[in-house]
Amino acid sequence: MLSFELTIDGKAHATGETFDVLNPSTGEVAGRAPIAGKAELDAAVAAAERAFKTWSQTADDELKAACEAVTAKIAEHADELAQIITAEQGKPLNGLGSRWEVGGAQAWAGYTAGLSLPMKVLQDNNEGRVELHRKPVGVVGSITPWNFPLMIAIWHVIPALRTGNTVVIKPSPLTPLSTLRLVQIMNEVLPAGVVNVVTGDDGAENLGGLMSAHPGIAKIVFTGSCATGQKVMRSAAETMKRLTLELGGNDAGIVLPDADPAQIAEGLFWGGFINNGQTCAAMKRLYVHESIHDEVCAALVEFAKTIPVGDGMDEGSILGPVQNRMQHEKLSRLVAEASEKGDVLLGGAPGEGLFFPPTLIAGLQNGDSLVDEEQFGPALPIIKYSDVEDAIAMANANPAGLGGSVWSSDIEAARKVGQRLECGSVWINKHGMVQPNAPFGGVKASGIGVEFGEEGLEEYTNIQVLFS
């Protein structure tokens, strides 16, 4: 039984109540997390404000060294963190699962540690000198989702630290344990109050809402659904908080007629089914030219049949369960509706507990719920098209705009199609492969701002122009 306390001002902070965190594979209690309320949040923000006074004045090379020390701590505790992620999130230890997530978190932390935002001289002549400085914003409030609990925490926290900010992080109540442990080990190498963590069960005291309205928090970084992101934005308006919102996606993939079905099948599968489809930038809709539609469907089915699904703690599992009951019910509804209209090629019916087999459904079109809504699970609708102009129009006919992909043997032709997609990232012959040196963010309803790279680092700063 895993059990962790809050970390506030560098110390363990007990609360009077806890809540159960369930293992999605078994339904059993994986651990217990503390229930924090307004008092604990206020204490965490106050600690972060105190720490900011000195942390914000820390030399750039010392900030870099501190982020490198955090990176080393993640590596030191890699297997422990992976075990916790699997216990609470359900994803397998192997494949693109928990060990891969911890490795990604370590890679992102290490890369971001090496970035910097030096002062820029805009003018230096007989009329005077003008400098552009990047200044930390203050206390950053991080609200993270349940699909990649550790990696997204690192995506939020390390850029904040690297730019001289302090942090209060609130993980999803479905997957709080890995973040509670992560912040514990971070505090072994960071000054007190620089990173604090609060958790709650989203009951009477909605910590997320309290954070987005809190006058002591200067910026909110939120990863989650479009609907919740809108609430964060409204709540943050009163205090004019800076915002980075990475929201839901309904990413489209377009397969051009010259693509090789056998060659792209594996990439298509993982584009749609990475993390069991529970990924904002997973491929959620696949448009395939009529000339190769049947061959692509057949190749996808054959590859999908080879993927073992099971308990995340089983070393042989490659995909695990859907993480929670609410998401499982939404997925089941969308698949059931799609099954009545389309052709179920594979899967189509829920398994035991929260398991759901990889599901491929052809014969659908825009307007069908599985195509229009973000399923966030292991089901992929396949839509046949005859003209590439129609495919582009259908791909763009959605309020979301996170990512997209084009699949073709002609890279230049694919690039031209990709540039016409209304989304923040486009991949050619792959999908969803984000990397720490490339900015990532959505357009339209998929969010505001970007993460990763220098552009992502800038989001944690205010500009100050110095004239002399």
Side-chain angles (χ1 to χ4, degrees):
M1 176 70 66
L2 299 167
S3 182
F4 303 108
E5 295 177 324
L6 305 178
T7 300
I8 297 176
D9 204 16
K11 305 179 188 70
H13 186 99
T15 61
E17 296 181 271
T18 61
F19 62 96
D20 290 343
V21 179
L22 302 181
N23 182 325
S25 290
T26 64
E28 298 174 355
V29 176
R32 293 190 175 91
I35 297 178
K38 184 177 184 301
E40 288 79 13
L41 176 61
D42 287 345
V45 173
E49 288 179 315
R50 289 191 298 271
F52 179 74
K53 293 176 183 178
T54 53
W55 186 251
S56 60
Q57 301 303 310
T58 302
D60 188 71
D61 59 346
E62 292 180 40
L63 294 175
K64 176 183 178 181
C67 291
E68 290 173 340
V70 170
T71 305
K73 276 292 177 183
I74 295 170
E76 181 184 335
H77 293 269
D79 198 61
E80 175 196 359
L81 291 168
Q83 295 281 338
I84 297 171
I85 293 169
T86 292
E88 66 178 353
Q89 204 280 338
K91 67 182 67 178
L93 291 167
N94 294 321
L96 299 177
S98 295
R99 290 176 177 137
W100 176 83
E101 179 174 345
V102 176
Q106 183 182 341
W108 248 269
Y111 181 84
T112 306
L115 297 176
S116 64
L117 298 174
M119 177 270 291
K120 293 182 180 179
V121 178
L122 304 181
Q123 174 184 308
D124 192 6
N125 55 27
N126 58 1
E127 295 180 358
R129 180 179 173 91
V130 182
E131 299 173 349
L132 186 153
H133 295 261
R134 290 280 177 177
K135 312 283 284 186
V137 299
V139 177
V140 172
S142 162
I143 304 175
T144 57
W146 49 260
N147 56 335
F148 287 97
L150 189 89
M151 186 137 67
I152 294 177
I154 290 299
W155 290 354
H156 289 191
V157 172
I158 297 297
L161 300 184
R162 185 64 187 86
T163 46
N165 300 281
T166 55
V167 177
V168 176
I169 185 169
K170 186 201 85 69
S172 165
L174 296 169
T175 54
L177 303 176
S178 55
T179 303
L180 287 164
R181 182 61 180 136
L182 174 67
V183 175
Q184 279 185 346
I185 65 175
M186 281 183 166
N187 272 266
E188 295 175 9
V189 293
L190 294 174
V194 170
V195 180
N196 311 270
V197 59
V198 292
T199 57
D201 60 356
D202 283 354
E205 293 202 72
N206 181 350
L207 281 177
L210 291 173
M211 287 177 68
S212 58
H214 201 291
I217 293 177
K219 175 184 173 70
I220 289 286
V221 190
F222 170 78
T223 301
S225 71
C226 295
T228 305
Q230 291 168 356
K231 293 179 182 177
V232 169
M233 194 171 183
R234 283 193 292 268
S235 179
E238 288 293 322
T239 50
M240 296 296 290
K241 284 181 173 53
R242 303 298 183 260
L243 292 172
T244 300
L245 305 176
E246 195 269 277
L247 308 180
N250 197 356
D251 291 13
I254 298 176
V255 179
L256 300 183
D258 66 345
D260 182 338
Q263 190 173 37
I264 65 174
E266 182 175 356
L268 287 173
F269 179 85
W270 287 117
F273 291 86
I274 183 174
N275 201 36
N276 220 18
Q278 300 169 126
T279 304
C280 292
M283 186 167 60
K284 311 286 180 26
R285 308 172 278 153
L286 181 61
Y287 298 90
V288 183
H289 192 267
E290 60 185 3
S291 65
I292 58 171
H293 173 271
D294 291 352
E295 290 83 355
V296 168
C297 289
L300 262 174
V301 168
E302 285 308 306
F303 183 81
K305 285 179 178 177
T306 69
I307 304 301
V309 178
D311 188 323
M313 290 296 182
D314 184 336
E315 295 281 353
S317 297
I318 298 299
L319 291 180
V322 175
Q323 201 282 327
N324 60 82
R325 176 60 57 189
M326 183 172 70
Q327 193 60 42
H328 188 276
E329 289 176 354
K330 177 182 180 181
L331 175 67
S332 298
R333 170 181 64 81
L334 291 173
V335 169
E337 292 171 0
S339 299
E340 294 179 358
K341 294 187 174 184
D343 303 315
V344 178
L345 306 177
L346 186 70
E352 294 184 7
L354 294 180
F355 286 93
F356 205 106
T359 294
L360 298 164
I361 303 180
L364 298 176
Q365 58 188 351
N366 279 32
D368 293 331
S369 58
L370 185 60
V371 178
D372 288 359
E373 297 182 40
E374 184 185 20
Q375 66 274 42
F376 216 70
L380 182 64
I382 303 170
I383 303 98
K384 184 188 296 185
Y385 75 90
S386 56
D387 186 278
V388 70
E389 293 297 323
D390 292 337
I392 294 169
M394 288 188 291
N396 288 336
N398 194 278
L402 193 57
S405 58
V406 185
W407 305 74
S408 172
S409 297
D410 185 337
I411 301 300
E412 284 308 309
R415 285 167 54 87
K416 289 178 181 178
V417 172
Q419 289 178 315
R420 295 177 61 190
L421 296 181
E422 296 170 356
C423 51
S425 298
V426 179
W427 295 274
I428 306 301
N429 293 329
K430 54 189 173 183
H431 194 109
M433 299 297 106
V434 296
Q435 52 193 64
N437 62 336
F440 173 68
V443 300
K444 301 196 289 188
S446 288
I448 294 173
V450 298
E451 300 178 276
F452 315 154
E454 290 184 5
E455 294 81 0
L457 208 61
E458 290 173 352
E459 298 264 342
Y460 291 80
T461 65
N462 290 323
I463 288 176
Q464 183 183 70
V465 180
L466 183 62
F467 299 83
S468 61

